Short mmCIF file of all heavy atoms in Angstrom, two decimals:
data_model
loop_
_atom_site.label_atom_id
_atom_site.label_comp_id
_atom_site.label_asym_id
_atom_site.label_seq_id
_atom_site.Cartn_x
_atom_site.Cartn_y
_atom_site.Cartn_z
N ILE J 51 106.27 107.26 102.46
CA ILE J 51 105.52 108.04 103.38
C ILE J 51 104.10 107.53 103.54
O ILE J 51 103.77 107.62 104.74
CB ILE J 51 105.38 109.58 102.88
CG1 ILE J 51 106.83 110.27 102.94
CG2 ILE J 51 104.51 110.54 103.69
CD1 ILE J 51 106.99 111.47 102.20
N LEU J 54 104.40 104.96 106.17
CA LEU J 54 104.57 105.41 107.48
C LEU J 54 103.12 105.88 108.03
O LEU J 54 102.86 105.73 109.15
CB LEU J 54 105.49 106.63 107.51
CG LEU J 54 105.84 107.23 108.80
CD1 LEU J 54 106.47 106.30 109.75
CD2 LEU J 54 106.68 108.60 108.62
N LEU J 99 113.67 106.52 104.79
CA LEU J 99 113.30 107.87 104.64
C LEU J 99 114.57 108.75 104.93
O LEU J 99 115.16 109.60 104.16
CB LEU J 99 112.23 108.53 105.44
CG LEU J 99 110.79 108.11 104.98
CD1 LEU J 99 109.76 108.51 105.93
CD2 LEU J 99 110.54 108.75 103.54
N GLU J 100 115.29 108.41 106.11
CA GLU J 100 116.46 109.21 106.51
C GLU J 100 117.63 108.89 105.60
O GLU J 100 118.44 109.80 105.29
CB GLU J 100 116.71 108.89 108.08
CG GLU J 100 115.70 109.56 108.84
CD GLU J 100 115.97 109.12 110.30
OE1 GLU J 100 116.54 108.04 110.65
OE2 GLU J 100 115.37 109.77 111.41
N TYR J 103 116.06 109.12 101.25
CA TYR J 103 115.30 110.22 100.61
C TYR J 103 115.65 111.55 101.26
O TYR J 103 115.63 112.60 100.48
CB TYR J 103 113.65 110.06 100.80
CG TYR J 103 113.42 108.73 100.07
CD1 TYR J 103 113.10 107.58 100.59
CD2 TYR J 103 113.43 108.79 98.60
CE1 TYR J 103 112.87 106.50 99.88
CE2 TYR J 103 113.20 107.64 97.82
CZ TYR J 103 112.89 106.51 98.49
OH TYR J 103 112.52 105.44 97.68
N PHE J 104 116.20 111.65 102.45
CA PHE J 104 116.48 112.95 103.01
C PHE J 104 117.78 113.51 102.18
O PHE J 104 117.64 114.72 101.75
CB PHE J 104 116.90 112.92 104.50
CG PHE J 104 115.84 112.94 105.38
CD1 PHE J 104 114.52 112.86 105.11
CD2 PHE J 104 116.07 113.00 106.87
CE1 PHE J 104 113.58 112.90 105.93
CE2 PHE J 104 115.08 112.96 107.69
CZ PHE J 104 113.85 112.88 107.23
N PRO J 105 118.77 112.70 101.96
CA PRO J 105 119.81 113.20 100.95
C PRO J 105 119.32 113.68 99.67
O PRO J 105 119.74 114.66 98.97
CB PRO J 105 120.80 112.11 100.83
CG PRO J 105 120.62 111.22 102.07
CD PRO J 105 119.17 111.41 102.40
N LEU J 106 118.25 113.04 99.07
CA LEU J 106 117.94 113.28 97.93
C LEU J 106 117.18 114.74 97.83
O LEU J 106 117.34 115.55 96.95
CB LEU J 106 116.76 112.14 97.40
CG LEU J 106 115.94 112.49 96.10
CD1 LEU J 106 116.75 112.20 94.85
CD2 LEU J 106 114.78 111.53 96.04
N PHE J 107 116.31 114.97 98.68
CA PHE J 107 115.72 116.35 98.94
C PHE J 107 116.67 117.30 99.30
O PHE J 107 116.59 118.48 98.85
CB PHE J 107 114.60 116.22 100.04
CG PHE J 107 113.30 115.40 99.49
CD1 PHE J 107 112.85 114.30 100.50
CD2 PHE J 107 112.64 115.56 98.49
CE1 PHE J 107 111.81 113.58 100.11
CE2 PHE J 107 111.47 114.95 98.07
CZ PHE J 107 111.10 113.88 98.75
N ALA J 108 117.65 117.02 100.12
CA ALA J 108 118.63 118.03 100.51
C ALA J 108 119.49 118.42 99.33
O ALA J 108 120.00 119.53 99.23
CB ALA J 108 119.49 117.46 101.67
N SER J 109 119.80 117.53 98.37
CA SER J 109 120.57 117.77 97.21
C SER J 109 119.81 118.51 96.26
O SER J 109 120.46 118.93 95.14
CB SER J 109 121.13 116.47 96.62
OG SER J 109 120.12 115.73 96.18
N ASN J 110 118.57 118.74 96.38
CA ASN J 110 117.76 119.43 95.36
C ASN J 110 117.10 120.62 96.20
O ASN J 110 116.01 120.47 96.70
CB ASN J 110 116.69 118.61 94.70
CG ASN J 110 117.36 117.64 93.78
OD1 ASN J 110 117.70 118.00 92.68
ND2 ASN J 110 117.49 116.37 94.29
N PRO J 111 117.71 122.00 96.28
CA PRO J 111 117.31 122.92 97.04
C PRO J 111 115.80 123.31 96.86
O PRO J 111 115.11 123.69 97.84
CB PRO J 111 118.17 124.07 96.75
CG PRO J 111 119.30 123.54 96.03
CD PRO J 111 118.95 122.21 95.52
N GLU J 112 115.24 123.01 95.68
CA GLU J 112 113.89 123.43 95.43
C GLU J 112 112.92 122.55 96.22
O GLU J 112 111.83 122.85 96.37
CB GLU J 112 113.71 123.20 93.84
CG GLU J 112 112.34 123.49 93.27
CD GLU J 112 112.30 123.35 91.78
OE1 GLU J 112 113.31 123.16 91.08
OE2 GLU J 112 111.21 123.35 91.32
N PHE J 113 113.38 121.33 96.62
CA PHE J 113 112.57 120.34 97.21
C PHE J 113 112.95 120.13 98.63
O PHE J 113 112.52 119.24 99.29
CB PHE J 113 112.64 119.02 96.46
CG PHE J 113 112.15 119.19 94.97
CD1 PHE J 113 112.99 119.34 94.02
CD2 PHE J 113 110.75 119.13 94.71
CE1 PHE J 113 112.51 119.61 92.68
CE2 PHE J 113 110.30 119.17 93.46
CZ PHE J 113 111.14 119.46 92.43
N ALA J 114 113.92 120.86 99.16
CA ALA J 114 114.57 120.73 100.66
C ALA J 114 113.42 120.86 101.58
O ALA J 114 113.51 120.19 102.65
CB ALA J 114 115.60 121.66 100.81
N ALA J 115 112.34 121.59 101.43
CA ALA J 115 111.39 121.78 102.40
C ALA J 115 110.61 120.43 102.81
O ALA J 115 110.18 120.29 103.95
CB ALA J 115 110.28 122.67 101.98
N TYR J 116 110.73 119.46 101.87
CA TYR J 116 109.96 118.12 102.21
C TYR J 116 110.75 117.51 103.30
O TYR J 116 110.15 116.86 104.12
CB TYR J 116 110.16 117.19 100.96
CG TYR J 116 109.02 117.58 99.90
CD1 TYR J 116 109.47 117.83 98.60
CD2 TYR J 116 107.74 117.64 100.26
CE1 TYR J 116 108.50 118.30 97.75
CE2 TYR J 116 106.77 117.87 99.31
CZ TYR J 116 107.14 118.33 98.06
OH TYR J 116 106.25 118.51 97.17
N LYS J 117 112.14 117.60 103.45
CA LYS J 117 112.93 117.01 104.49
C LYS J 117 112.31 117.48 105.75
O LYS J 117 112.13 116.58 106.79
CB LYS J 117 114.37 117.39 104.33
CG LYS J 117 115.21 116.66 105.41
CD LYS J 117 116.65 116.99 105.13
CE LYS J 117 117.61 116.43 106.16
NZ LYS J 117 117.77 117.10 107.34
N SER J 118 112.17 118.76 106.12
CA SER J 118 111.61 119.14 107.35
C SER J 118 110.21 118.77 107.67
O SER J 118 109.80 118.39 108.78
CB SER J 118 111.88 120.70 107.54
OG SER J 118 111.06 121.47 106.54
N SER J 119 109.41 118.66 106.62
CA SER J 119 107.96 118.25 106.79
C SER J 119 108.03 116.67 107.08
O SER J 119 107.35 116.38 108.11
CB SER J 119 107.22 118.44 105.53
OG SER J 119 107.17 119.63 105.20
N ILE J 120 108.86 115.92 106.57
CA ILE J 120 108.97 114.51 106.85
C ILE J 120 109.62 114.36 108.30
O ILE J 120 109.06 113.46 109.02
CB ILE J 120 109.84 113.75 105.71
CG1 ILE J 120 109.01 113.93 104.43
CG2 ILE J 120 110.01 112.34 106.16
CD1 ILE J 120 109.88 113.41 103.22
N GLU J 121 110.58 115.16 108.64
CA GLU J 121 111.19 115.05 109.93
C GLU J 121 109.87 115.28 110.93
O GLU J 121 109.87 114.64 111.99
CB GLU J 121 112.20 116.11 110.15
CG GLU J 121 113.55 115.71 109.45
CD GLU J 121 114.61 116.78 109.42
OE1 GLU J 121 114.30 117.94 109.55
OE2 GLU J 121 115.77 116.36 109.50
N ALA J 122 109.08 116.23 110.74
CA ALA J 122 108.10 116.50 111.66
C ALA J 122 106.98 115.27 111.84
O ALA J 122 106.70 115.02 112.90
CB ALA J 122 107.24 117.72 111.21
N VAL J 123 106.73 114.62 110.65
CA VAL J 123 105.86 113.50 110.95
C VAL J 123 106.60 112.29 111.50
O VAL J 123 106.04 111.44 112.20
CB VAL J 123 105.14 113.01 109.51
CG1 VAL J 123 104.22 114.11 109.11
CG2 VAL J 123 106.16 112.61 108.45
N ILE J 124 107.82 112.16 111.34
CA ILE J 124 108.70 111.19 111.99
C ILE J 124 108.71 111.35 113.43
O ILE J 124 108.27 110.51 114.13
CB ILE J 124 110.19 111.14 111.49
CG1 ILE J 124 110.19 110.53 109.98
CG2 ILE J 124 111.03 110.42 112.38
CD1 ILE J 124 111.49 110.61 109.35
N VAL J 125 108.94 112.57 113.93
CA VAL J 125 108.84 112.91 115.37
C VAL J 125 107.47 112.49 116.02
O VAL J 125 107.36 111.97 116.98
CB VAL J 125 109.07 114.24 115.72
CG1 VAL J 125 108.92 114.78 117.07
CG2 VAL J 125 110.63 114.63 115.34
N GLN J 126 106.30 112.92 115.21
CA GLN J 126 105.15 112.60 115.66
C GLN J 126 104.81 111.09 115.78
O GLN J 126 104.23 110.55 116.63
CB GLN J 126 104.04 113.20 114.57
CG GLN J 126 103.80 114.65 114.61
CD GLN J 126 102.84 115.15 113.71
OE1 GLN J 126 102.09 114.33 112.99
NE2 GLN J 126 102.70 116.38 113.58
N SER J 127 105.37 110.26 114.70
CA SER J 127 105.14 108.78 114.81
C SER J 127 105.81 108.18 115.88
O SER J 127 105.36 107.07 116.40
CB SER J 127 105.70 108.23 113.45
OG SER J 127 107.01 108.19 113.38
N PHE J 141 97.66 112.95 111.99
CA PHE J 141 98.83 112.43 111.47
C PHE J 141 98.65 112.08 110.01
O PHE J 141 99.46 112.34 109.16
CB PHE J 141 99.24 111.15 112.26
CG PHE J 141 100.54 110.68 111.81
CD1 PHE J 141 101.79 111.14 112.36
CD2 PHE J 141 100.62 109.57 110.96
CE1 PHE J 141 103.02 110.68 111.99
CE2 PHE J 141 101.85 109.06 110.59
CZ PHE J 141 103.02 109.59 111.07
N GLU J 144 98.61 115.07 107.81
CA GLU J 144 100.16 115.64 107.69
C GLU J 144 100.87 114.90 106.58
O GLU J 144 101.46 115.44 105.62
CB GLU J 144 100.84 115.57 108.99
CG GLU J 144 100.50 116.60 109.98
CD GLU J 144 100.40 118.15 109.46
OE1 GLU J 144 101.55 118.40 108.89
OE2 GLU J 144 99.43 118.87 109.68
N CYS J 145 100.66 113.53 106.62
CA CYS J 145 101.38 112.71 105.56
C CYS J 145 100.66 113.05 104.29
O CYS J 145 101.50 113.15 103.34
CB CYS J 145 101.09 111.21 106.10
SG CYS J 145 102.15 110.75 107.40
N LYS J 147 99.35 115.69 103.28
CA LYS J 147 99.80 117.02 102.69
C LYS J 147 101.28 116.86 102.05
O LYS J 147 101.44 117.45 100.94
CB LYS J 147 99.96 118.00 103.98
CG LYS J 147 100.30 119.32 103.55
CD LYS J 147 100.49 120.37 104.69
CE LYS J 147 99.49 120.24 105.79
NZ LYS J 147 99.84 121.17 106.87
N ILE J 148 102.03 116.14 102.72
CA ILE J 148 103.37 115.88 102.07
C ILE J 148 103.24 115.13 100.65
O ILE J 148 103.82 115.51 99.66
CB ILE J 148 104.21 115.06 102.97
CG1 ILE J 148 104.65 116.01 104.24
CG2 ILE J 148 105.65 114.71 102.32
CD1 ILE J 148 105.18 115.08 105.37
N THR J 149 102.34 114.11 100.77
CA THR J 149 102.25 113.24 99.47
C THR J 149 101.68 114.03 98.35
O THR J 149 101.94 113.94 97.19
CB THR J 149 101.72 111.88 99.74
OG1 THR J 149 100.40 112.15 100.38
CG2 THR J 149 102.44 110.96 100.71
N ILE J 152 104.13 116.38 96.85
CA ILE J 152 105.10 115.50 96.00
C ILE J 152 104.38 115.22 94.62
O ILE J 152 104.95 115.33 93.64
CB ILE J 152 105.56 114.23 96.69
CG1 ILE J 152 106.49 114.53 97.80
CG2 ILE J 152 106.28 113.32 95.67
CD1 ILE J 152 106.92 113.46 98.79
#
Side-chain angles (χ1 to χ4, degrees):
I51 295 164
L54 181 64
L99 285 168
E100 291 173 339
Y103 296 108
F104 281 7
L106 178 73
F107 290 125
S109 67
N110 292 280
E112 184 179 345
F113 301 93
Y116 285 118
K117 183 177 179 274
S118 61
S119 298
I120 295 169
E121 286 173 328
V123 294
I124 286 172
V125 168
Q126 287 177 8
S127 75
F141 184 84
E144 288 300 314
C145 290
K147 188 186 314 181
I148 296 167
T149 59
I152 291 173

